[in-house]
Amino acid sequence: MAGKRSVSNVLGLAVLSYLSQQPMHPYALGRMLRDHGDARSIKFNPGSLYMVVGQLARAGFVAEQETGRDGQRPEHTVYALTEDGRRELRDWLRELVAQPQHEYPAFVAALAFVSALPPGEVTELLARRLDLVARQQAEIKGLIQDSLAQGVPGLFLLEEEYRLAQLDAEYGFVQRLIARMADPATDWITLWADHHKQIDRERGRQ
Amino acid sequence: MAGKRSVSNVLGLAVLSYLSQQPMHPYALGRMLRDHGDARSIKFNPGSLYMVVGQLARAGFVAEQETGRDGQRPEHTVYALTEDGRRELRDWLRELVAQPQHEYPAFVAALAFVSALPPGEVTELLARRLDLVARQQAEIKGLIQDSLAQGVPGLFLLEEEYRLAQLDAEYGFVQRLIARMADPATDWITLWADHHKQIDRERGRQ
DNA sequence: GGGGTCATGTAATAGGTTACATGATTCT
DNA sequence: AGAATCATGTAACCTATTACATGACCCC
């Protein structure tokens, strides 16, 4: 729907969202990100934050409101959302909710080239992955339980539930993959072996 | 396992993998990426390719082998994998297969801030997403069928099957989410309404 | 009262994307 | 023969990450 956003880093979305609740200075935004757990959903490092706020300001989505100070701490510039910023926030969210993006998870790349490893080793590696995925699932479940226990409404835990659903699917996929590789009917062994013979031939030629 | 790879862009993994089959020049690498469909798994644009090849060369993973030409086309530099490069390829793959990375899909960010939109609208947007997810599923299924029909072994379609599994999970999640929002027992409505009252209050204050 | 950590940010550097340049081949 | 596309890459620009600087506050 929107050709190209003037600020494309999703960290900007977080900034717009926080500023829609009250004006803030960048450092406070960073604290929010960390404390409110949104740094799990959005890649965050302090340098990028100032950059993004600068971009948002140039685009007219936020405006310097005042430059204040707290006690004898360094001065800080407080930013507020503009009317354009409010529109951008809603429009951006609409796009992200309604339109699935084509993404590039690391595991997809790994699968695309996994035949460069010998099959026996791949089976072992997948088993290790399975274990680590299970740990992540447990961790997220714990996090959700703790949050609910502290009174956080489920509405604010949707990201984590989504991650969990993705991890469940990944777990199943990897399990089935391991089984398929072990199954003699699959017949990847000869294919795989040929592939490696070719690699070795090439290697000899250098 | 590896502290920090000297080349972190996964496009470099694709380059290492192709070069393990035969020496090539960057443009040919680009063609492979496109034609072999790996550009669906790895973000690719021509500029980045030359950059990454340069990084790999500085790191000693690939080396200029000769500078040739084809017909009267411009000269081109052919690169070959080094022994270090072969090691890096295997090590990198091992890491990517065995260790799940923390990722930041756009939809996670959307979910984290979705309460900034009114609930009625969110339901509609989710329904549209559902439709688009279904289309992607169909597209991938078609792609897999076509490839199998043309004799591509399933071993080289794992990425697409993985994507499919993730999309299935996403479809289910979104469906359940829509249902939960419609369910009176969920009781997000008042919460959500309060949230928006606060936003409006804030808006008035500007 | 000295050693950490917090608050606030800037500057340097590296990484990635877009736009363009140039000649060859191919199409109509 | 002119237009379009392919082959090959370079350069300029923008984005993002890392490293550092400075003074407060806090702890023992």
Side-chain angles (χ1 to χ4, degrees):
Chain A
M1 204 100 248
K4 238 359 178 203
R5 294 191 188 279
S6 38
V7 180
S8 65
N9 191 332
V10 283
L11 188 52
L13 183 78
V15 169
L16 293 177
S17 170
Y18 287 135
L19 292 186
S20 83
Q21 297 175 27
Q22 48 174 314
M24 259 179 272
H25 55 104
Y27 190 89
L29 288 165
R31 246 182 349 219
M32 288 266 145
L33 266 267
R34 276 198 291 91
D35 299 352
H36 194 294
D38 288 324
R40 281 179 53 79
S41 305
I42 291 188
K43 202 184 327 181
F44 164 63
N45 72 34
S48 313
L49 188 54
Y50 290 91
M51 182 196 27
V52 165
V53 170
Q55 291 168 355
L56 291 170
R58 273 204 305 285
F61 297 143
V62 306
E64 268 185 51
Q65 198 193 30
E66 53 171 346
T67 151
R69 76 164 47 203
D70 245 4
Q72 242 6 261
R73 300 282 169 59
E75 286 210 346
H76 49 234
T77 309
V78 174
Y79 291 86
L81 199 61
T82 65
E83 197 50 43
D84 272 6
R86 193 176 307 280
R87 245 193 308 278
E88 176 72 359
L89 169 58
R90 284 195 305 258
D91 189 60
W92 198 351
L93 270 175
R94 282 192 200 104
E95 178 187 336
L96 290 178
V97 172
Q99 296 175 9
Q101 309 288 309
H102 188 86
E103 318 239 9
Y104 299 90
F107 193 44
V108 165
L111 289 172
F113 297 108
V114 74
S115 60
L117 293 175
E121 190 177 358
V122 171
T123 306
E124 279 176 43
L125 293 168
L126 288 173
R128 284 181 43 207
R129 184 182 193 91
L130 219 45
D131 186 46
L132 292 171
V133 168
R135 270 182 229 197
Q136 290 194 13
Q137 289 171 310
E139 186 191 328
I140 295 182
K141 278 181 193 157
L143 196 152
I144 292 180
Q145 288 316 313
D146 291 359
S147 301
L148 289 176
Q150 292 181 10
V152 177
L155 172 58
F156 300 119
L157 296 168
L158 297 177
E159 329 81 275
E160 299 297 343
E161 290 185 19
Y162 174 73
R163 267 185 204 287
L164 209 44
Q166 296 282 299
L167 284 173
D168 287 350
E170 177 166 333
Y171 194 92
F173 173 83
V174 173
Q175 253 185 339
R176 289 192 305 276
L177 180 53
I178 292 175
R180 260 206 289 180
M181 289 183 53
D183 183 351
T186 302
D187 182 40
W188 286 342
I189 341 104
T190 53
L191 178 68
W192 212 309
D194 288 354
H195 193 66
H196 277 263
K197 272 201 213 93
Q198 195 209 325
I199 289 175
D200 291 345
R201 247 200 322 281
E202 177 51 32
R203 189 176 185 176
R205 283 231 321 267
Q206 313 238 343
Chain B
M1 206 100 247
K4 240 354 176 206
R5 294 189 190 279
S6 35
V7 180
S8 64
N9 191 333
V10 284
L11 187 53
L13 183 78
V15 170
L16 294 177
S17 170
Y18 287 135
L19 291 187
S20 84
Q21 296 175 26
Q22 46 172 317
M24 258 179 273
H25 55 105
Y27 190 89
L29 289 164
R31 247 182 348 217
M32 289 264 143
L33 267 264
R34 278 197 289 90
D35 299 350
H36 195 295
D38 288 325
R40 281 179 51 80
S41 305
I42 290 188
K43 201 183 331 179
F44 165 62
N45 71 34
S48 313
L49 188 53
Y50 289 90
M51 181 194 31
V52 165
V53 169
Q55 291 168 352
L56 290 170
R58 273 204 306 287
F61 296 143
V62 306
E64 268 184 51
Q65 201 195 27
E66 51 170 347
T67 151
R69 76 164 48 202
D70 245 3
Q72 244 4 263
R73 300 280 170 57
E75 287 211 347
H76 50 232
T77 308
V78 176
Y79 291 86
L81 199 61
T82 65
E83 199 48 45
D84 272 7
R86 195 176 305 281
R87 247 195 305 281
E88 177 72 359
L89 168 59
R90 284 196 304 261
D91 190 58
W92 198 350
L93 271 173
R94 284 193 198 103
E95 179 186 335
L96 290 179
V97 172
Q99 296 175 10
Q101 309 288 310
H102 188 85
E103 318 237 11
Y104 299 89
F107 192 45
V108 166
L111 288 172
F113 297 108
V114 73
S115 60
L117 293 175
E121 189 177 359
V122 170
T123 304
E124 279 176 43
L125 294 168
L126 288 174
R128 284 182 42 207
R129 183 181 195 92
L130 219 45
D131 186 45
L132 293 172
V133 168
R135 272 183 226 196
Q136 290 194 13
Q137 290 172 309
E139 186 191 329
I140 295 182
K141 277 181 194 156
L143 196 153
I144 292 180
Q145 288 316 312
D146 290 358
S147 301
L148 288 176
Q150 294 182 6
V152 177
L155 172 58
F156 301 119
L157 296 168
L158 297 177
E159 328 82 275
E160 299 297 344
E161 291 186 17
Y162 175 73
R163 267 186 205 287
L164 208 44
Q166 297 282 303
L167 285 174
D168 287 349
E170 178 166 330
Y171 194 92
F173 172 84
V174 173
Q175 253 185 339
R176 289 193 305 277
L177 180 51
I178 292 175
R180 259 205 289 179
M181 289 184 53
D183 183 350
T186 303
D187 183 37
W188 285 343
I189 341 102
T190 55
L191 178 66
W192 212 310
D194 286 356
H195 193 65
H196 277 262
K197 273 205 212 88
Q198 196 208 323
I199 290 175
D200 292 344
R201 249 202 319 283
E202 176 53 33
R203 188 176 188 174
R205 284 232 320 270
Q206 311 238 345

